[in-house]
Amino acid sequence: MSSSSPVTPNTSPNASAGTPPNITHSATAPGTMRMRQLGHSGLFVSELCLGTMTFGGSDGIWGMIGQLQQQQVDELVAAALAAGINFIDTANMYGGGASERLLGQALKNLDVKRDEVVIATKVLGPMAASPNTRGASRGHIMSQCQASLQRLQLDHIDLYQIHGFDKATPIRETLEALNTLVQQGLVNYIGLSNWAAWQVVKAVGIAEARQLCPIISLQAHYTLVSRDLEREVIPMLQSEQIGLMVWSPLAGGYLSGKYEGPEASADSRRTKLDFPPVNRERGSEVIAVMAGIAAEQQTSIARIALAWLLHQSAVTSVIVGAKRIDQLTDNIAATQVHLTTDQLALLDAVSRLPEEYPGWMLERQQEYRAHMASN
């Protein structure tokens, strides 16, 4: 694609092919990182986003995920920026705050210009023992935004996300706190993560009714072995023009192919932390098809998994994390994998969700419109 003109998204939730909307890149420089418009905002982000969950872990779950320290973090951030990634995602609770600190120092060490990078972080999880140092209450959001800014050594956050749904706090309170941060110039845009479709739509309605800053993105889990988003969330995102950021696109390493077949590794992160959950019976069939396509493409299974996501019209940016430069480089190479129509059809067939109500009924009842041309 040689221009930045918007492309009408494929609105079918089970669509395997299609070009994501609002993509720009240089026609004279094939291989450059494509930029995509995040939701209904004027913000453009790279199709791959650098995830930082591997930064600064010491013990417990964060230690199992990653224990990278400053020099390693600097190298990864430098490699990502050199590849054209302008989007970096973190969270206040990653490594107990260490991820944000290491990222902020890396940006300073590398002398990164502020307007050349889009920094996203999140708030929700417990940061201390007190009941008011967790959740999406006004107090917790306001204090943690300041704490994140200090750790990141920044004067503003580009995208501030609520890390999950807090049933104890009214959505209105959460949105009004976020709106205050935007008005104060501490946050540019707001997003959500791990919310159900009805929760997002309720938040959208409240924001519109009270004229609060709009929600432009949802960060959620979506892979070839976890296509649950296609039932309710993706149709909602496309209807509301909200961007989708995908976390754990390799399903915790499962879609690297290391956990199935004769070369399955017994020493890996998933043997210690089996997350996100995967249906191994269905997953093994998906891996087998991916392996065949990878052989045709002369590439890795992991790149096929990432390339499939990049072919989905609802996806804005795919978050990739790494512990080593070679892992990051392999992930970045997925942007150059073009899946054919036949290959996309094979992947769709082997990974398609079982039919559920009301989906099958909605599809059936749309048949009376089948003869009419769409606008």
Short mmCIF file of all heavy atoms in Angstrom, two decimals, residues 313-356:
data_model
loop_
_atom_site.label_atom_id
_atom_site.label_comp_id
_atom_site.label_asym_id
_atom_site.label_seq_id
_atom_site.Cartn_x
_atom_site.Cartn_y
_atom_site.Cartn_z
N SER A 313 -8.08 -7.66 10.17
CA SER A 313 -8.49 -6.27 9.98
C SER A 313 -8.74 -5.52 11.28
O SER A 313 -8.62 -4.29 11.33
CB SER A 313 -9.75 -6.21 9.11
OG SER A 313 -10.83 -6.88 9.75
N ALA A 314 -9.06 -6.22 12.36
CA ALA A 314 -9.37 -5.54 13.62
C ALA A 314 -8.11 -5.18 14.40
O ALA A 314 -8.17 -4.36 15.32
CB ALA A 314 -10.27 -6.43 14.48
N VAL A 315 -6.99 -5.79 14.08
CA VAL A 315 -5.77 -5.62 14.86
C VAL A 315 -5.03 -4.36 14.45
O VAL A 315 -4.73 -4.15 13.28
CB VAL A 315 -4.84 -6.85 14.71
CG1 VAL A 315 -3.50 -6.61 15.41
CG2 VAL A 315 -5.52 -8.10 15.27
N THR A 316 -4.71 -3.52 15.43
CA THR A 316 -3.91 -2.32 15.18
C THR A 316 -2.43 -2.61 15.42
O THR A 316 -1.60 -2.32 14.57
CB THR A 316 -4.36 -1.17 16.10
OG1 THR A 316 -5.74 -0.90 15.90
CG2 THR A 316 -3.55 0.09 15.80
N SER A 317 -2.10 -3.18 16.58
CA SER A 317 -0.70 -3.41 16.91
C SER A 317 -0.57 -4.69 17.73
O SER A 317 -1.43 -5.00 18.57
CB SER A 317 -0.13 -2.22 17.70
OG SER A 317 1.27 -2.33 17.85
N VAL A 318 0.50 -5.43 17.47
CA VAL A 318 0.77 -6.70 18.15
C VAL A 318 1.94 -6.49 19.10
O VAL A 318 3.03 -6.07 18.68
CB VAL A 318 1.09 -7.81 17.15
CG1 VAL A 318 1.45 -9.11 17.87
CG2 VAL A 318 -0.09 -8.04 16.21
N ILE A 319 1.73 -6.76 20.38
CA ILE A 319 2.76 -6.55 21.40
C ILE A 319 3.69 -7.74 21.45
O ILE A 319 3.25 -8.87 21.71
CB ILE A 319 2.12 -6.30 22.77
CG1 ILE A 319 1.16 -5.11 22.72
CG2 ILE A 319 3.20 -6.07 23.84
CD1 ILE A 319 0.32 -4.93 23.96
N VAL A 320 4.98 -7.52 21.20
CA VAL A 320 5.97 -8.59 21.23
C VAL A 320 6.97 -8.30 22.34
O VAL A 320 7.52 -7.21 22.44
CB VAL A 320 6.68 -8.75 19.87
CG1 VAL A 320 5.70 -9.23 18.81
CG2 VAL A 320 7.33 -7.44 19.41
N GLY A 321 7.20 -9.30 23.17
CA GLY A 321 8.19 -9.19 24.22
C GLY A 321 9.34 -10.13 23.92
O GLY A 321 9.20 -11.08 23.15
N ALA A 322 10.47 -9.88 24.52
CA ALA A 322 11.63 -10.73 24.26
C ALA A 322 12.61 -10.63 25.41
O ALA A 322 12.62 -9.65 26.17
CB ALA A 322 12.33 -10.32 22.96
N LYS A 323 13.43 -11.67 25.53
CA LYS A 323 14.53 -11.66 26.50
C LYS A 323 15.87 -11.45 25.81
O LYS A 323 16.85 -11.09 26.45
CB LYS A 323 14.57 -12.97 27.28
CG LYS A 323 13.35 -13.21 28.17
CD LYS A 323 13.49 -14.54 28.91
CE LYS A 323 12.27 -14.82 29.77
NZ LYS A 323 12.38 -16.13 30.47
N ARG A 324 15.89 -11.72 24.49
CA ARG A 324 17.14 -11.62 23.75
C ARG A 324 16.90 -10.89 22.42
O ARG A 324 15.79 -10.89 21.88
CB ARG A 324 17.72 -13.01 23.45
CG ARG A 324 17.92 -13.89 24.66
CD ARG A 324 18.69 -15.17 24.28
NE ARG A 324 18.13 -15.83 23.11
CZ ARG A 324 17.18 -16.77 23.17
NH1 ARG A 324 16.69 -17.15 24.33
NH2 ARG A 324 16.72 -17.33 22.05
N ILE A 325 17.95 -10.33 21.88
CA ILE A 325 17.88 -9.61 20.62
C ILE A 325 17.42 -10.53 19.49
O ILE A 325 16.61 -10.14 18.65
CB ILE A 325 19.24 -8.97 20.25
CG1 ILE A 325 19.61 -7.87 21.27
CG2 ILE A 325 19.21 -8.41 18.83
CD1 ILE A 325 18.73 -6.65 21.19
N ASP A 326 17.92 -11.77 19.46
CA ASP A 326 17.56 -12.67 18.37
C ASP A 326 16.07 -13.01 18.39
O ASP A 326 15.46 -13.18 17.34
CB ASP A 326 18.40 -13.95 18.41
CG ASP A 326 18.19 -14.76 19.68
OD1 ASP A 326 18.54 -14.25 20.76
OD2 ASP A 326 17.67 -15.89 19.58
N GLN A 327 15.47 -13.09 19.59
CA GLN A 327 14.03 -13.33 19.68
C GLN A 327 13.26 -12.14 19.12
O GLN A 327 12.30 -12.31 18.36
CB GLN A 327 13.63 -13.56 21.14
CG GLN A 327 14.14 -14.86 21.74
CD GLN A 327 13.80 -14.98 23.22
OE1 GLN A 327 13.67 -13.97 23.92
NE2 GLN A 327 13.66 -16.20 23.69
N LEU A 328 13.68 -10.94 19.48
CA LEU A 328 13.01 -9.74 18.98
C LEU A 328 13.16 -9.64 17.47
O LEU A 328 12.21 -9.33 16.75
CB LEU A 328 13.59 -8.51 19.66
CG LEU A 328 13.00 -7.15 19.22
CD1 LEU A 328 11.51 -7.10 19.51
CD2 LEU A 328 13.73 -6.00 19.90
N THR A 329 14.35 -9.93 16.97
CA THR A 329 14.60 -9.88 15.53
C THR A 329 13.71 -10.86 14.77
O THR A 329 13.17 -10.54 13.70
CB THR A 329 16.09 -10.18 15.23
OG1 THR A 329 16.91 -9.21 15.90
CG2 THR A 329 16.36 -10.11 13.73
N ASP A 330 13.55 -12.06 15.33
CA ASP A 330 12.69 -13.06 14.69
C ASP A 330 11.24 -12.58 14.65
O ASP A 330 10.55 -12.74 13.64
CB ASP A 330 12.78 -14.39 15.45
CG ASP A 330 12.07 -15.52 14.71
OD1 ASP A 330 12.61 -16.00 13.71
OD2 ASP A 330 10.96 -15.90 15.13
N ASN A 331 10.79 -11.97 15.74
CA ASN A 331 9.42 -11.45 15.77
C ASN A 331 9.23 -10.32 14.76
O ASN A 331 8.21 -10.24 14.07
CB ASN A 331 9.09 -10.94 17.18
CG ASN A 331 8.91 -12.06 18.18
OD1 ASN A 331 8.72 -13.21 17.81
ND2 ASN A 331 9.00 -11.74 19.46
N ILE A 332 10.20 -9.43 14.67
CA ILE A 332 10.11 -8.31 13.75
C ILE A 332 10.02 -8.80 12.30
O ILE A 332 9.31 -8.22 11.47
CB ILE A 332 11.29 -7.35 13.93
CG1 ILE A 332 11.16 -6.63 15.29
CG2 ILE A 332 11.39 -6.34 12.79
CD1 ILE A 332 12.38 -5.83 15.68
N ALA A 333 10.70 -9.91 12.01
CA ALA A 333 10.70 -10.46 10.65
C ALA A 333 9.30 -10.92 10.23
O ALA A 333 9.03 -11.06 9.03
CB ALA A 333 11.68 -11.62 10.55
N ALA A 334 8.39 -11.11 11.17
CA ALA A 334 7.02 -11.52 10.83
C ALA A 334 6.31 -10.47 10.01
O ALA A 334 5.37 -10.78 9.27
CB ALA A 334 6.24 -11.82 12.10
N THR A 335 6.74 -9.22 10.11
CA THR A 335 6.09 -8.15 9.34
C THR A 335 6.32 -8.33 7.84
O THR A 335 5.61 -7.71 7.04
CB THR A 335 6.60 -6.77 9.77
OG1 THR A 335 8.01 -6.68 9.53
CG2 THR A 335 6.34 -6.53 11.25
N GLN A 336 7.30 -9.16 7.46
CA GLN A 336 7.60 -9.38 6.05
C GLN A 336 6.97 -10.66 5.50
O GLN A 336 7.20 -11.02 4.35
CB GLN A 336 9.12 -9.43 5.85
CG GLN A 336 9.84 -8.20 6.38
CD GLN A 336 9.19 -6.90 5.91
OE1 GLN A 336 8.95 -6.73 4.71
NE2 GLN A 336 8.90 -6.01 6.84
N VAL A 337 6.24 -11.37 6.34
CA VAL A 337 5.58 -12.61 5.91
C VAL A 337 4.21 -12.28 5.33
O VAL A 337 3.35 -11.73 6.03
CB VAL A 337 5.43 -13.61 7.07
CG1 VAL A 337 4.65 -14.85 6.63
CG2 VAL A 337 6.81 -14.02 7.61
N HIS A 338 4.01 -12.61 4.07
CA HIS A 338 2.70 -12.41 3.44
C HIS A 338 2.03 -13.77 3.28
O HIS A 338 2.54 -14.65 2.58
CB HIS A 338 2.83 -11.75 2.07
CG HIS A 338 1.52 -11.63 1.36
ND1 HIS A 338 0.54 -10.73 1.73
CD2 HIS A 338 1.00 -12.33 0.31
CE1 HIS A 338 -0.51 -10.87 0.95
NE2 HIS A 338 -0.26 -11.84 0.08
N LEU A 339 0.90 -13.95 3.94
CA LEU A 339 0.16 -15.20 3.86
C LEU A 339 -0.79 -15.14 2.66
O LEU A 339 -1.50 -14.15 2.48
CB LEU A 339 -0.62 -15.44 5.15
CG LEU A 339 0.22 -15.58 6.42
CD1 LEU A 339 -0.66 -15.65 7.65
CD2 LEU A 339 1.12 -16.81 6.35
N THR A 340 -0.81 -16.19 1.87
CA THR A 340 -1.69 -16.24 0.71
C THR A 340 -3.13 -16.46 1.16
O THR A 340 -3.40 -16.86 2.30
CB THR A 340 -1.28 -17.37 -0.24
OG1 THR A 340 -1.52 -18.63 0.40
CG2 THR A 340 0.19 -17.26 -0.62
N THR A 341 -4.04 -16.25 0.24
CA THR A 341 -5.46 -16.49 0.53
C THR A 341 -5.69 -17.94 0.94
O THR A 341 -6.45 -18.22 1.88
CB THR A 341 -6.32 -16.15 -0.70
OG1 THR A 341 -6.11 -14.78 -1.04
CG2 THR A 341 -7.80 -16.38 -0.41
N ASP A 342 -5.05 -18.87 0.25
CA ASP A 342 -5.20 -20.29 0.58
C ASP A 342 -4.62 -20.61 1.95
O ASP A 342 -5.21 -21.39 2.72
CB ASP A 342 -4.51 -21.16 -0.48
CG ASP A 342 -5.25 -21.17 -1.81
OD1 ASP A 342 -6.44 -20.77 -1.83
OD2 ASP A 342 -4.64 -21.56 -2.82
N GLN A 343 -3.49 -20.02 2.29
CA GLN A 343 -2.89 -20.26 3.60
C GLN A 343 -3.76 -19.68 4.73
O GLN A 343 -3.94 -20.31 5.77
CB GLN A 343 -1.49 -19.66 3.64
CG GLN A 343 -0.48 -20.42 2.79
CD GLN A 343 0.85 -19.70 2.63
OE1 GLN A 343 0.94 -18.48 2.85
NE2 GLN A 343 1.88 -20.44 2.25
N LEU A 344 -4.30 -18.51 4.50
CA LEU A 344 -5.20 -17.91 5.49
C LEU A 344 -6.45 -18.77 5.67
O LEU A 344 -6.95 -18.94 6.79
CB LEU A 344 -5.60 -16.50 5.05
CG LEU A 344 -4.51 -15.44 5.21
CD1 LEU A 344 -4.88 -14.18 4.44
CD2 LEU A 344 -4.27 -15.12 6.67
N ALA A 345 -6.95 -19.34 4.58
CA ALA A 345 -8.13 -20.20 4.66
C ALA A 345 -7.82 -21.46 5.46
O ALA A 345 -8.66 -21.93 6.25
CB ALA A 345 -8.61 -20.57 3.26
N LEU A 346 -6.65 -22.03 5.27
CA LEU A 346 -6.25 -23.22 6.04
C LEU A 346 -6.17 -22.91 7.53
O LEU A 346 -6.65 -23.68 8.37
CB LEU A 346 -4.89 -23.74 5.54
CG LEU A 346 -4.87 -24.50 4.21
CD1 LEU A 346 -3.44 -24.77 3.79
CD2 LEU A 346 -5.64 -25.82 4.33
N LEU A 347 -5.55 -21.78 7.86
CA LEU A 347 -5.43 -21.39 9.25
C LEU A 347 -6.80 -21.10 9.87
O LEU A 347 -7.06 -21.45 11.03
CB LEU A 347 -4.53 -20.16 9.37
CG LEU A 347 -3.05 -20.40 9.06
CD1 LEU A 347 -2.31 -19.07 8.96
CD2 LEU A 347 -2.40 -21.30 10.11
N ASP A 348 -7.66 -20.48 9.11
CA ASP A 348 -9.00 -20.19 9.60
C ASP A 348 -9.77 -21.47 9.87
O ASP A 348 -10.43 -21.62 10.91
CB ASP A 348 -9.75 -19.32 8.59
CG ASP A 348 -11.17 -19.02 9.04
OD1 ASP A 348 -11.32 -18.43 10.12
OD2 ASP A 348 -12.12 -19.40 8.33
N ALA A 349 -9.68 -22.43 8.95
CA ALA A 349 -10.45 -23.67 9.08
C ALA A 349 -10.02 -24.47 10.30
O ALA A 349 -10.85 -25.02 11.03
CB ALA A 349 -10.28 -24.51 7.81
N VAL A 350 -8.71 -24.55 10.57
CA VAL A 350 -8.23 -25.39 11.67
C VAL A 350 -8.40 -24.71 13.03
O VAL A 350 -8.45 -25.39 14.06
CB VAL A 350 -6.74 -25.77 11.45
CG1 VAL A 350 -5.81 -24.59 11.71
CG2 VAL A 350 -6.36 -26.96 12.31
N SER A 351 -8.52 -23.39 13.05
CA SER A 351 -8.60 -22.68 14.33
C SER A 351 -9.96 -22.05 14.60
O SER A 351 -10.16 -21.45 15.66
CB SER A 351 -7.54 -21.57 14.36
OG SER A 351 -7.80 -20.58 13.38
N ARG A 352 -10.90 -22.21 13.66
CA ARG A 352 -12.19 -21.54 13.78
C ARG A 352 -12.92 -21.94 15.05
O ARG A 352 -12.90 -23.10 15.47
CB ARG A 352 -13.05 -21.87 12.56
CG ARG A 352 -14.37 -21.10 12.49
CD ARG A 352 -15.15 -21.49 11.25
NE ARG A 352 -14.39 -21.22 10.03
CZ ARG A 352 -14.30 -22.07 9.02
NH1 ARG A 352 -14.87 -23.26 9.09
NH2 ARG A 352 -13.60 -21.74 7.94
N LEU A 353 -13.61 -20.99 15.67
CA LEU A 353 -14.37 -21.25 16.88
C LEU A 353 -15.59 -22.12 16.60
O LEU A 353 -16.21 -21.99 15.54
CB LEU A 353 -14.86 -19.93 17.49
CG LEU A 353 -13.80 -18.98 18.05
CD1 LEU A 353 -14.45 -17.65 18.40
CD2 LEU A 353 -13.13 -19.58 19.28
N PRO A 354 -15.95 -22.98 17.54
CA PRO A 354 -17.21 -23.71 17.40
C PRO A 354 -18.38 -22.72 17.41
O PRO A 354 -18.32 -21.68 18.06
CB PRO A 354 -17.25 -24.60 18.65
CG PRO A 354 -15.87 -24.61 19.19
CD PRO A 354 -15.24 -23.32 18.79
N GLU A 355 -19.43 -23.05 16.68
CA GLU A 355 -20.58 -22.15 16.63
C GLU A 355 -21.27 -22.09 17.98
O GLU A 355 -21.40 -23.09 18.69
CB GLU A 355 -21.56 -22.61 15.56
CG GLU A 355 -21.07 -22.39 14.14
CD GLU A 355 -22.16 -22.65 13.12
OE1 GLU A 355 -23.13 -23.34 13.46
OE2 GLU A 355 -22.03 -22.14 11.99
N GLU A 356 -21.70 -20.90 18.36
CA GLU A 356 -22.45 -20.69 19.59
C GLU A 356 -23.62 -19.75 19.32
O GLU A 356 -23.58 -18.96 18.38
CB GLU A 356 -21.56 -20.07 20.69
CG GLU A 356 -20.61 -21.05 21.35
CD GLU A 356 -19.91 -20.45 22.56
OE1 GLU A 356 -20.14 -19.25 22.86
OE2 GLU A 356 -19.13 -21.16 23.21
#
